[in-house]
Amino acid sequence: MTTAQPTSPRAPDPDPHRLLHRLVTGLLVLGFLAYVLHEHPALRETAAAVGGMGGVLLTAILAAGRSR
């Protein structure tokens, strides 16, 4: 009687188009934001403030994750 060696579970292969999809989506979002800020200059200061707070929040989250 023969016995088969069990194989270790593997994660499924990643979608080959995932990176391309993320890049295209990111470029579309950046293009849209650039268009809106170009057409409405009054929003530039607000966008800069929101982006700055987003950067501070992201930095805090990453620092908290590394301290664990």
Side-chain angles (χ1 to χ4, degrees):
M1 180 169 159
T2 61
T3 58
Q5 295 292 333
T7 58
S8 61
R10 292 187 308 163
D13 292 333
D15 182 14
H17 300 292
R18 174 184 250 173
L19 177 62
L20 178 64
H21 181 260
R22 287 185 179 185
L23 287 174
V24 169
T25 303
L27 288 174
L28 285 172
V29 168
L30 287 176
F32 175 75
L33 289 175
Y35 171 75
V36 169
L37 292 177
H38 175 73
E39 292 295 320
H40 303 284
L43 293 176
R44 289 181 187 163
E45 184 176 332
T46 303
V50 169
M53 289 305 296
V56 169
L57 183 62
L58 179 62
T59 303
I61 290 171
L62 291 174
R66 289 186 181 177
S67 67
R68 288 186 175 198

